Amino acid sequence: MLSWIVWRDLMLAWRRRADALSTLFFFVIVVSLFPLGIGPEAELLRSIAPGVVWVAALLASMLSLGRLFENDYQDGTLEQLLLTPQPLYLVVLGKVAAHWLTSEVPLVCIAPLLGVQFGLSNETLKILVISLVLGTPVLSFIGSIGAALTLGLRSSSVLISILVLPLYVPVLIFGAGAVEASIMGLNPSSHIYLLSSLTVLSLIFAPWGTAAALRISIE
Amino acid sequence: MTPGSFLQVTGANGSGKTSLLRILCGLLTPSEGRINWEGANIRSLGEDYFTQITYFGHRPGVKDELTTVENLRVAAGLSGIALSKQKTAEALERVGLAGRESVPARLLSEGQRRRVSLARLAICSTRLWLLDEVLTALDKTGVAFVRSLIEEHLADGGMAIVATHQDLELSRGLAKRLELTT
């Protein structure tokens, strides 16, 4: 049954490709603006690269959060999802998984290409991808709580940012930290381990929070 | 409610018909009192209760981007019903959507979109139906098949609570009415 939710959301995303593509383009443009604005100072670019890519990833993932439950809420399918004979935890897990696949995975795929603009080495690019693969699910999970809490509110997109961006800070610190360590020739594994633990924690706890928030929002 | 019984909820706009149905299906928490299903509070039953009910709300719950068949298959899949091709075709034929199988729902009229949603009733095997303003935007034949769906459901020992202004005029004599006042 979990697969039905994932299939449904992937299908919907495919039929509305422009939404997912706009997130991707936003990410590409924001990251590309920095080398253009700062100029070809290789050393400086290399040192700001981790922060720039990670901050852009956070902002890009904010863009797609509003859509996570809002469309389902508007057309009444969310009520049906809440009344399906399976734990709401699984429903949320399916929706977040689909969100990650459609909104975050494209960012992870394009990130190495953008890293090249900043003169990152192959080894660092690898760490960048690993940190994004581990970190972006956390963005989806934490974001889903914010999306569920602000469901149906006016100016919900601004509220989501205020609610969720502070919670993204640990991911940003460890994600960018891993890449930075790799640039300086240090071992990034401690950052990667911490990032993995965040992923596991959010996988376990965030769907509960989102499920509870959805029940409150739908009343 | 007992097997085979039918309750029509009527009342003026704003008298609480929708709230009552939402409380009965567990979407809304009652400020006092509790809803029991076979002697157990539905709050403690959780998902077990949802296997027994089908709720049809104000908004049809149809995805614009999916086709008629996809909408029905997803709805069935989420309710844990394995749907064969033949059963899908039968259900769509029943609600008068034969020939519109691969039309995206956004191209359908309001009445047809409600029919897509109503096709769920033709495939589900739940015991209690909670239908809110189910006849809205439906034409005469639409009203007729909703009536026949409900009659079959009741004949099979199912139960239905329907909030509606129009009279369903069921042929079976078990219908009860509940009039809500503000």
Side-chain angles (χ1 to χ4, degrees), chain A:
Chain A
M1 278 182 262
L2 181 70
S3 57
W4 275 108
I5 296 176
V6 179
W7 181 85
R8 186 193 85 132
D9 278 22
L10 290 181
M11 202 66 182
L12 289 173
W14 174 248
R15 300 262 161 92
R16 268 196 308 235
R17 294 183 282 275
D19 285 353
L21 281 176
S22 60
T23 309
L24 182 64
F25 278 122
F26 176 85
F27 178 66
V28 171
I29 288 168
V30 168
V31 175
S32 307
L33 286 178
F34 281 86
L36 294 173
I38 287 168
E41 292 174 47
E43 205 47 50
L44 179 60
L45 282 179
R46 201 170 300 135
S47 63
I48 63 165
V52 167
V53 174
W54 262 98
V55 169
L58 299 194
L59 296 178
S61 79
M62 297 293 322
L63 282 184
S64 53
L65 278 181
R67 294 193 299 267
L68 186 54
F69 297 114
E70 192 64 37
N71 293 336
D72 288 350
Y73 179 67
Q74 295 297 348
D75 59 23
T77 39
L78 189 60
E79 282 180 353
Q80 302 299 341
L81 286 177
L82 288 184
L83 294 176
T84 50
Q86 57 203 300
L88 196 48
Y89 183 95
L90 288 180
V91 175
V92 171
L93 201 62
K95 282 201 70 74
V96 172
H99 175 263
W100 181 69
L101 286 171
T102 54
S103 302
E104 312 279 9
V105 167
L107 308 190
V108 178
C109 295
I110 202 95
L113 213 60
L114 298 173
V116 173
Q117 292 184 357
F118 290 84
L120 298 182
S121 67
N122 282 347
E123 186 55 33
T124 309
L125 288 177
K126 217 188 313 172
I127 298 298
L128 176 68
V129 170
I130 292 173
S131 73
L132 283 170
V133 166
L134 289 170
T136 46
V138 187
L139 305 185
S140 290
F141 276 120
I142 294 178
S144 73
I145 303 177
L149 279 174
T150 56
L151 199 58
L153 301 180
R154 278 178 297 125
S155 66
S156 58
S157 55
V158 180
L159 263 177
I160 291 186
S161 323
I162 296 171
L163 264 176
V164 164
L165 279 177
L167 297 173
Y168 281 174
V169 168
V171 189
L172 174 66
I173 291 174
F174 297 124
V179 186
E180 222 163 83
S182 158
I183 290 174
M184 292 190 289
L186 304 170
N187 186 357
S189 54
S190 62
H191 290 97
I192 296 291
Y193 289 141
L194 282 165
L195 207 52
S196 325
S197 67
L198 284 179
T199 315
V200 174
L201 282 176
S202 66
L203 169 73
I204 296 169
F205 293 111
W208 293 116
T210 309
L214 279 179
R215 287 206 191 282
I216 295 167
S217 295
I218 206 97
E219 282 210 345

Side-chain angles (χ1 to χ4, degrees), chain B residues 97-162:
Chain B
L97 286 171
R100 302 249 189 288
E101 286 85 355
S102 42
V103 180
R106 73 189 136 82
L107 300 178
L108 297 174
S109 75
E110 186 58 30
Q112 285 175 321
R113 290 154 57 89
R114 293 194 79 84
R115 283 164 184 251
V116 175
S117 188
L118 281 167
R120 281 193 289 135
L121 295 180
I123 53 160
C124 67
S125 53
T126 51
R127 289 163 64 197
L128 175 62
W129 288 1
L130 300 158
L131 314 177
D132 193 1
E133 295 298 354
V134 71
L135 303 178
T136 313
L138 287 181
D139 56 15
K140 267 195 180 139
T141 54
V143 173
F145 77 68
V146 171
R147 188 185 300 135
S148 71
L149 276 173
I150 294 178
E151 279 172 353
E152 269 174 41
H153 176 62
L154 297 178
D156 287 347
M159 294 166 275
I161 301 178
V162 181

